[in-house]
Amino acid sequence: MSETARSLLNSAGLLAATLGLASGLIWLERRLLALWQDRYGPNRVGPFGLLQVLADMIKIFFKEDWIPPFADRPVFVMAPAVIIISVLMSFAVVPAAPGIGVVDLNVGLLFFLAMSSMGAYSVVLAGWASNNKYSLLGGLRSAAQMLSYEVFMGLSLMGVVVLAGSFNLREIVLAQRRIWFVVPQFLGFVVFLIAGLAETHRLPFDLPEADSELIAGFHSEYSGMKFGMFFVGEYLGVILISALISVLFLGGWMGPLLPPLAWFLVKTLFFICLFILFRAALPRPRFDQLMGFGWKAMLPLSLLNLMATAAVVLWIGGPR
Amino acid sequence: MNALFYISAAIAVFSTVMVITRTNAVHALLYFIVSLLSVAVIFAVLGAPFVAALEVIVYAGAIMVLFVFVVMLLNVGADSTEQERMLLIPRVWIVPAVLSLVLAAELGYALSRGSPVIHESHRVDPKTVGIALFGPYVLGVELASILLLAGLVGAYHLGRREWRRRERSESRP
């Protein structure tokens, strides 16, 4: 197979897999939440309610796509596309298995951080362009939240970079041949998990769209497929963070018996379910608690982790 | 490589012109982000992917989000756009246009004397940047960190005073 054909096939496969998984997650999340809350969840349409996704998709495509007259039209239309594009771009650097993955970038980890900071604009601009006070409050909250959680999201990953001696995600996976980084970098793992939750604004950190205070926050004015794109973008973000956790801390595709791709998918799916469990189990903090927790607990922890890791690596002598 | 460079350079110039001619602050900021992204592409094309990534993370990702945050906090409406439009009358364009023309003429002269070759001379990887920063340029790094520390102390001071005053007024019977 020629190089071009291979990369085209990889890109198309990645697109189909991520978008398919993201829409499948709607069903998975509702079923799992129902399971943990002792009820049934969607179980009417098709076997186990699996076709519920299809029904929802048909519904959302045929809804009226309403742009409020007071909104800033170009920005309002552009905002939902930004989150989808930035998350899908990040997937390009994620190595799923040997030979599977779109690009092999030597600054892959930085590319992910850059794209995730671009994704923040989507929510902020949606909140601003809606020209509605609840949306604006949601957008403001999200700008502050994303900015502060990005800081130690990056810092928590630097311990992994120091141990692996590379920003390349493939080399980071290969550096975990002896031991998964979740063991020496447990602190970094916890901080990254929390920062990832905040970046995708999933439930314990969903202050930008806190329904009880802000109606639906930044996407109050959105309807139809534009709302759907925010929804899919959030699920894509969850998949991305889960995939990255398994690549950075759990040895990616490596594992006994099963083929590499299966290991990668199992690990990713485990973290996706963990994210849904967080949503089912945790209450939402107040906004000042969220910011205080970020700057007073997470930032010192990640700095401490980075300095300790660097000191130990220097003591032992160079990255392995 | 050359085509990539010229395309992203053209986008950078166009979006920067749009930044200064927009009357709506958020639209201007959006064009500025596009301009920064195209400069990042130029860095990547010239063989400095690390600097390109930092450009996106630090400038387009962090600093511009702060700008957008402040603009949203002020919530400037239609009247400020109107005010901006009144400021941007043709008369104010004369001096900047002359200055830019001088620069453009210099650039044209430099190009006519021999076109600079754009090629990937050597890749600047993270390690090279780190060695440069903590080797010959360590003084600059230290000065920047002192500046940042001053900013941090200032912000802490401002926040603290507000907090003290509120506490005092609350404790008053």
Side-chain angles (χ1 to χ4, degrees), chain B residues 98-162:
Chain B
V98 168
L99 289 177
S100 317
L101 275 180
V102 172
L103 281 180
E106 276 184 8
L107 189 66
Y109 176 68
L111 281 177
S112 68
R113 283 175 56 92
S115 89
V117 202
I118 300 153
H119 57 80
E120 225 177 287
S121 49
H122 63 290
R123 296 189 74 79
V124 186
D125 56 349
K127 199 171 180 179
T128 325
V129 176
I131 289 171
L133 278 182
F134 288 98
Y137 298 109
V138 71
L139 187 66
V141 173
E142 291 300 325
L143 284 176
S145 66
I146 290 172
L147 191 67
L148 285 176
L149 185 67
L152 200 66
V153 171
Y156 181 71
H157 176 69
L158 289 174
R160 187 180 165 82
R161 197 177 52 182
E162 185 64 30

Side-chain angles (χ1 to χ4, degrees), chain A residues 72 110 121 124-125 128 140 147, chain B residues 27 50 60 64-65 69 72:
Chain A
D72 188 307
L110 289 174
Y121 281 115
V124 175
L125 291 177
W128 176 80
L140 275 177
L147 202 65
Chain B
H27 291 179
F50 182 65
M64 293 316 288
V65 170
F69 185 78
M72 278 170 66

